[in-house]
Amino acid sequence: QRQEAALPGQWLLKGRKSGGGTNIYRVSGNTHLPPSYLLQEYCAGIPASVSFVANGCTARILGVSEQLCGCEDFGAPEFYYTGSISPLWLNNWAKFPPELWNWLNKMVLEVTAQFALKGLNGIDFLLPDQGEPLVLEVNPRYSASMELFAKAYGYDLFAFHVGACQGGSPPLFPPPLLGGGRYFGKAIVYAPTDLIVGNTANWFQLGMRDIPHPGEEIPVGSPVCTVLAQGVSRDRCLEALRERQRWVLSQAVNARAKRDR
C-alpha cells in the first residue's frame, strides 16, 4: 500500500507492536506501509498524559503530567520516552485551564464507559501549538508517571487499583496544582557511549531507580537507569534531573576506552 499524501516531516511510521516512543520513523511521500505499521500524522506540540482510576462505569483523574520525549540532553533518540514532570505546566497559564480540565474529564469518562476500564489507567494526549488537544493512545495499565502522583499527593495506588477493580467508587482527588506547589520529575538516562558502571550499591538511596548491577556494561543508546528529582518550579525540577543525570554518567567509564587499555 502506498500513501501518496505522505510528505517529508509530516507523517510518522509507527510500529503497531512498540512502546515508549520506539520504532517510530519520519517518512516521506510514496511510503510503503507494511502490515505491522500504521501511519500517523505528525503534529508539533507538548506531549502529556492523564492518569485515572476507573471502576468500569465512572472514573476519577489522579493527575496530569508533561511527557519528556526525545530529549537529546538525556541521550534519548527522537520520540523515545525520556520521563515525566508533574503537574503539567505551561508558561502562559496562571492556573490549570478549566476548559482543558473539562476536556480531560469528559475524555476519561467516555473512554472508561466505552471500554469498561477498571483500575489504574492512562491516556496520552498532545497539546498542539494550535487547535484542540489530540488523543494519542489509551494505556489500560499502570503507567510511568503514576509514581510521581504517589509522591506528590501521597496516593496509595495499589489500594485505589484493587478497590476500583472490585467495583468501588473512585474517591475524589484534588485538581492538579500550578505554581506555589512542588514539581516532581523522573527521567531515563541513556548511555551516550558504551559504558561500564561502577559500584551502584547506594544508587537507590540517592534517588535512582531501574539500577544496573555493579560493573554492568551498558551499550550506547540503551537506558542506564531512571533518576528522580523535585523542585519549586518545572524548570528547577528539570535542572535537578539533569544534575542527577550528570552524576550518574560520572560514575561510569567508557567501555571501549577501558577495553583498549
Side-chain angles (χ1 to χ4, degrees):
Q1 179 180 357
R2 293 189 176 273
Q3 304 294 321
E4 301 296 339
L7 301 175
Q10 294 182 342
W11 297 90
L12 302 175
L13 195 64
K14 184 176 182 180
R16 294 180 183 272
K17 296 181 179 180
S18 63
T22 63
N23 205 18
I24 299 176
Y25 311 95
R26 292 181 183 270
V27 293
S28 58
N30 302 321
T31 297
H32 174 70
L33 186 61
S36 59
Y37 284 80
L38 56 86
L39 199 64
Q40 190 175 64
E41 184 178 4
Y42 175 79
C43 183
I46 296 175
S49 67
V50 55
S51 297
F52 59 98
V53 59
N55 65 2
C57 300
T58 188
R60 301 288 187 186
I61 291 177
L62 292 167
V64 188
S65 63
E66 173 188 359
Q67 285 194 342
L68 306 175
C69 298
C71 296
E72 293 182 1
D73 49 350
F74 287 96
E78 188 177 23
F79 305 120
Y80 273 44
Y81 174 75
T82 316
S84 300
I85 294 181
S86 174
L88 176 65
W89 178 89
L90 292 177
N91 59 13
N92 59 334
W93 293 351
K95 58 181 181 179
F96 203 94
E99 61 274 17
L100 178 57
W101 184 249
N102 293 336
W103 181 85
L104 289 170
N105 269 301
K106 181 179 179 182
M107 175 182 63
V108 163
L109 291 173
E110 288 184 355
V111 169
T112 295
Q114 179 70 28
F115 299 104
L117 296 178
K118 290 187 178 182
L120 298 173
N121 300 271
I123 298 176
D124 295 339
F125 64 97
L126 185 76
L127 293 173
D129 295 341
Q130 295 180 343
E132 296 293 319
L134 302 172
V135 176
L136 297 179
E137 62 184 29
V138 178
N139 296 304
R141 55 173 171 74
Y142 180 96
S143 56
S145 60
M146 289 182 183
E147 65 179 306
L148 302 181
F149 304 131
K151 288 180 175 295
Y153 306 121
Y155 291 155
D156 185 341
L157 295 173
F158 185 74
F160 292 165
H161 180 75
V162 172
C165 287
Q166 293 176 339
S169 297
L172 290 171
F173 303 111
L177 300 175
L178 282 177
R182 296 195 69 81
Y183 290 75
F184 295 80
K186 62 182 294 185
I188 300 171
V189 178
Y190 291 88
T193 62
D194 292 342
L195 297 176
I196 298 177
V197 298
N199 185 359
T200 60
N202 65 338
W203 281 23
F204 187 88
Q205 290 76 14
L206 295 175
M208 320 306 169
R209 299 295 184 266
D210 307 312
I211 300 167
H213 296 289
E216 184 173 341
E217 185 166 338
I218 311 294
V220 59
S222 298
V224 179
C225 70
T226 301
V227 296
L228 301 173
Q230 56 181 285
V232 296
S233 68
R234 182 262 185 194
D235 289 344
R236 292 280 185 88
C237 181
L238 184 58
E239 181 53 36
L241 290 172
R242 291 192 180 110
E243 289 178 2
R244 288 179 179 265
Q245 177 224 21
R246 289 191 287 267
W247 183 88
V248 165
L249 295 181
S250 74
Q251 304 302 301
V253 297
N254 187 299
R256 186 172 303 173
K258 186 174 182 178
R259 287 193 294 265
D260 292 342
R261 284 203 297 265

